[in-house]
Amino acid sequence: MGILLATLISLILYMIGAGIIAVVSSVSTGRVLKFALGLFIFGYIVMAVVNYFVMPAVTVPNMLLINLITAIILLPMLLFVLKPKHFMEKKVVTPLAGMYGLGLIILVVSIITSFTVLDNANNTITVHEEPEAEPLSKDETPITVAPEFARNKIQKSMSVVPNAQFYDLGKLQVQQVGDEIVYVAPVEFSSFWKFIRGKEIAGYFTISATDVNAQPSFEEEPMEYTNSSYFHKYVKRVIYNQFPQYIQSGDAQIEVDDDGKPWYVQTIYKPMHITNKPNLDALRVVVIDPVTGDMNAYQTDEAPAFIDGSVSSEMASVTNDYFGKYIHGWLNSMFGKRDVKLPNESGTESGVTPMFDENGDMFYFTDMTSPKENVDSALGYTLINARTGELTYFGGEKNNGIMDSDGAKQIVNKEFPEKKWEGSMPVLYNIDGNPTWVVNVLDPNGLHKQYAYIKADDSDFVVFGDTANAALESYRMALSQDPGNAEATDETVTESVQGTVDRVQISSTEQGQMVQFLLEDDTTIYTVNSSKVPLAIFLEKGDHINAEAQVMDDNETATIEEMEIEGLTE
């Protein structure tokens, strides 16, 4: 239906021009209408084929451009058929030229309007501003497996797919299934001929997005309507036929419901005024059954509960652009640049990185930087709710002037030049009151090697770890022992401690010599930096101590702020 409607609209200007010729030309009206009808049928068939493959949204700019093109081609053909030797009659050419000119003027006005409405588009964003994110609790681990690593693992498991020679791995989509955050990736037809032979794809893979040791699992769920199918089973074409007046944002992505059934999900929007610019306050999402092709459209925040990303990553990227660049309109973004912020493009999906909060809600993360050249500091960062499209900007004093995501990746890249390990998927977290970049470290083959925690306002403060929890604990310990880090955290309480030393261990770190000890009848591991208590390096079993310690909320670790050792410090 959408293709037939778009084709009919594509020929409106031609039909107006044919009417002008019938009235003005010296050729009889009956002859003009006869040949005009024949060319209309020819043009309709040709444009139906073109629209079938191109699928232009039925919007003012698109239809104006297509109308101009078809009229410029078909009307001269009509004139030539009517009067081969004198088809350029002035009394016919003049009104047609006026018609073309008027159509071109309207198209130019539409293009200009698309720039002037950018500040209106900015106003359609629901924005909240916060000084900083809540600190992480003990149970929250700021890690998700890099998609390159997940894709690499799944690729190695493609042999389990029936008729694997027909397929390639499709787009990875992160979502929460049950209580676990996973990547979901359908297999897709590798070519047109594989589609002809296979007719349907075999299913999809899932793999944990938080556990680097997890293995992929293949689920057999045959699907006919997919991103790699052709003709009437191509997802984008199926949606276009029912919603031709909407623009589709990016490619449809697969999400899985609570019963393991996959669905294709596509964000769509109607443009503002006579432009193709989106109204970000009125996004919709189409959910399509890949077996039957049945679909329903919803407001993004009213989509079925199992859908985490009813707002696509592509649309989230557009939202960041409008929020940062066009806060005072298009002209300001080009010249004055007052209050302009540019989104970095270090994200894993269309310049943004999906992440989940403690409630299981998905957000798209992006850090914002200055438009000034050669500046690698961040001005803040945004989180966009993947169901509502609401944007929260964290631009408080702590987040202003810290290194940006590109800088965080470069720190990792310079750490292992001989191994060619590189940083991937940098995300900024609030760890014990400190803005911290958490970066996956991957080898050239996309295999996970380590995690890096980088203090965002100190490029020399970097902690690496082989596992998520180990890296986080090491980083927290380094923060508490850093003499230059005076930040009190919400994760600790200061307590008076006394007792007899039972075990002692001394180690050298980049922050100096660390003394760790246990007290009798106490399982808490106490750590003190020798720069705070120089005599701590002489601590022995049996010594009695009195100390002020910051105890972590898990009561398993504590850092010593002040300490007296009987017989040494008195």
Side-chain angles (χ1 to χ4, degrees):
M1 181 62 185
I3 292 168
L4 299 179
L5 176 63
T7 303
L8 183 61
I9 295 175
S10 300
L11 294 166
I12 289 177
L13 203 59
Y14 164 75
M15 290 186 287
I16 294 173
I20 292 173
I21 294 172
V23 172
V24 176
S25 174
S26 57
V27 181
S28 67
T29 301
R31 179 177 167 83
V32 172
L33 294 180
K34 175 183 175 181
F35 284 102
L37 179 59
L39 273 176
F40 175 84
I41 295 172
F42 168 77
Y44 192 91
I45 293 172
V46 171
M47 288 308 302
V49 173
V50 171
N51 290 334
Y52 181 83
F53 289 102
V54 177
M55 294 178 291
V58 181
T59 64
V60 173
N62 292 354
M63 293 300 103
L64 269 174
L65 179 60
I66 293 174
N67 266 276
L68 281 169
I69 293 173
T70 54
I72 288 172
I73 294 173
L74 293 179
L75 289 176
M77 290 175 62
L78 177 60
L79 291 172
F80 182 79
V81 170
L82 293 172
K83 298 184 70 172
K85 295 182 179 180
H86 304 286
F87 73 97
M88 295 295 288
E89 282 186 286
K90 184 176 181 180
K91 63 179 180 179
V92 175
V93 171
T94 300
L96 289 182
M99 182 189 70
Y100 289 140
L102 180 61
L104 185 60
I105 289 172
I106 297 174
L107 180 61
V108 171
V109 169
S110 173
I111 294 172
I112 294 173
T113 304
S114 69
F115 291 105
T116 61
V117 302
L118 285 171
D119 54 342
N120 293 335
N122 175 278
N123 292 333
T124 66
I125 306 171
T126 302
V127 178
H128 307 285
E129 295 200 14
E130 299 287 344
E132 62 178 327
E134 290 294 321
L136 294 176
S137 69
K138 174 182 177 291
D139 296 326
E140 293 174 283
T141 303
I143 290 296
T144 52
V145 174
E148 300 97 319
F149 177 62
R151 175 172 287 275
N152 186 289
K153 268 197 167 183
I154 296 175
Q155 290 280 17
K156 295 183 185 330
S157 300
M158 284 290 288
S159 59
V160 304
V161 180
N163 296 312
Q165 70 276 12
F166 287 178
Y167 309 112
D168 289 329
L169 187 63
K171 177 183 177 182
L172 268 68
Q173 172 64 28
V174 65
Q175 72 168 110
Q176 184 166 354
V177 179
D179 295 327
E180 187 179 8
I181 297 173
V182 298
Y183 284 109
V184 181
V187 294
E188 301 279 12
F189 293 112
S190 58
S191 69
F192 173 75
W193 298 113
K194 299 298 172 62
F195 162 75
I196 295 297
R197 292 190 62 189
K199 295 184 174 56
E200 61 183 20
I201 66 172
Y204 64 90
F205 281 95
T206 61
I207 187 172
S208 173
T210 59
D211 181 3
V212 296
N213 297 314
Q215 297 301 315
S217 172
F218 180 71
E219 307 295 332
E220 289 197 37
E221 287 283 345
M223 294 178 272
E224 295 186 28
Y225 296 85
T226 74
N227 278 332
S228 59
S229 299
Y230 289 81
F231 306 123
H232 63 288
K233 293 188 176 180
Y234 178 35
V235 163
K236 191 178 287 286
R237 184 169 292 115
V238 174
I239 296 172
Y240 176 79
N241 270 330
Q242 190 160 333
F243 301 98
Q245 72 275 34
Y246 285 83
I247 296 176
Q248 300 185 42
S249 173
D251 291 328
Q253 61 196 27
I254 194 170
E255 296 210 25
V256 178
D257 65 18
D258 296 336
D259 297 323
K261 176 178 172 56
W263 301 80
Y264 272 95
V265 178
Q266 175 69 71
T267 305
I268 60 175
Y269 65 89
K270 270 189 175 180
M272 296 178 63
H273 311 307
I274 59 171
T275 75
N276 282 341
K277 302 302 181 184
N279 180 343
L280 297 170
D281 195 36
L283 301 178
R284 301 185 74 189
V285 60
V286 175
V287 182
I288 181 169
D289 187 329
V291 177
T292 65
D294 294 337
M295 71 184 80
N296 289 296
Y298 307 88
Q299 299 295 329
T300 55
D301 58 346
E302 296 176 359
F306 71 87
I307 296 176
D308 293 310
S310 52
V311 176
S312 67
S313 56
E314 290 85 358
M315 188 52 63
S317 183
V318 170
T319 302
N320 277 321
D321 274 340
Y322 286 5
F323 167 74
K325 290 183 182 179
Y326 307 122
I327 186 169
H328 299 304
W330 176 74
L331 282 176
N332 180 71
S333 72
M334 296 297 294
F335 301 106
K337 298 186 178 182
R338 178 168 59 94
D339 298 328
V340 167
K341 300 174 284 290
L342 300 181
N344 252 318
E345 298 183 356
S346 299
T348 59
E349 295 183 12
S350 305
V352 299
T353 298
M355 56 185 293
F356 287 80
D357 68 4
E358 67 277 8
N359 299 317
D361 296 325
M362 191 169 91
F363 293 82
Y364 295 109
F365 165 85
T366 310
D367 62 306
M368 311 294 282
T369 189
S370 169
K372 187 175 181 180
E373 294 183 3
N374 301 320
V375 173
D376 59 359
S377 61
L379 299 176
Y381 63 96
T382 64
L383 292 178
I384 297 174
N385 189 299
R387 277 185 64 92
T388 67
E390 295 180 356
L391 182 149
T392 303
Y393 177 62
F394 298 89
E397 183 178 348
K398 287 183 180 180
N399 298 317
N400 201 325
I402 60 178
M403 78 179 75
D404 62 13
S405 54
D406 284 334
K409 290 200 298 185
Q410 287 303 317
I411 287 175
V412 174
N413 297 349
K414 293 176 181 178
E415 188 73 20
F416 307 101
E418 70 288 349
K419 298 179 180 178
K420 298 182 179 179
W421 292 359
E422 294 186 349
S424 174
M425 200 174 70
V427 179
L428 192 66
Y429 288 89
N430 178 356
I431 298 181
D432 299 347
N434 296 271
T436 303
W437 284 108
V438 179
V439 186
N440 277 244
V441 184
L442 307 180
D443 71 7
N445 296 317
L447 297 178
H448 175 86
K449 291 301 179 182
Q450 288 186 326
Y451 297 109
Y453 283 67
I454 306 169
K455 195 176 180 186
D457 58 1
D458 184 356
S459 60
D460 294 325
F461 197 106
V462 185
V463 172
F464 292 89
D466 293 331
T467 67
N469 286 325
L472 179 58
E473 289 303 318
S474 297
Y475 180 74
R476 279 178 161 156
M477 188 63 68
L479 281 175
S480 63
Q481 293 300 321
D482 180 18
N485 184 34
E487 185 70 47
T489 80
D490 295 331
E491 302 295 316
T492 61
V493 292
T494 301
E495 296 181 0
S496 296
V497 177
Q498 61 179 351
T500 301
V501 175
D502 188 46
R503 296 282 192 276
V504 181
Q505 177 177 307
I506 301 175
S507 58
S508 296
T509 70
E510 293 181 358
Q511 285 76 42
Q513 286 189 298
M514 296 292 181
V515 180
Q516 292 181 293
F517 61 90
L518 298 175
L519 298 178
E520 292 179 355
D521 302 320
D522 187 350
T523 59
T524 302
I525 301 173
Y526 295 94
T527 304
V528 59
N529 192 317
S530 62
S531 63
K532 290 187 176 181
V533 184
L535 293 176
I537 60 174
F538 300 106
L539 197 66
E540 294 180 347
K541 180 178 180 178
D543 286 341
H544 189 82
I545 61 101
N546 289 282
E548 294 294 320
Q550 287 190 352
V551 182
M552 299 296 290
D553 59 358
D554 55 11
N555 289 317
E556 295 177 358
T557 58
T559 58
I560 301 296
E561 296 299 313
E562 299 177 3
M563 185 170 71
E564 293 181 355
I565 308 171
E566 289 186 5
L568 288 179
T569 56
E570 293 182 351

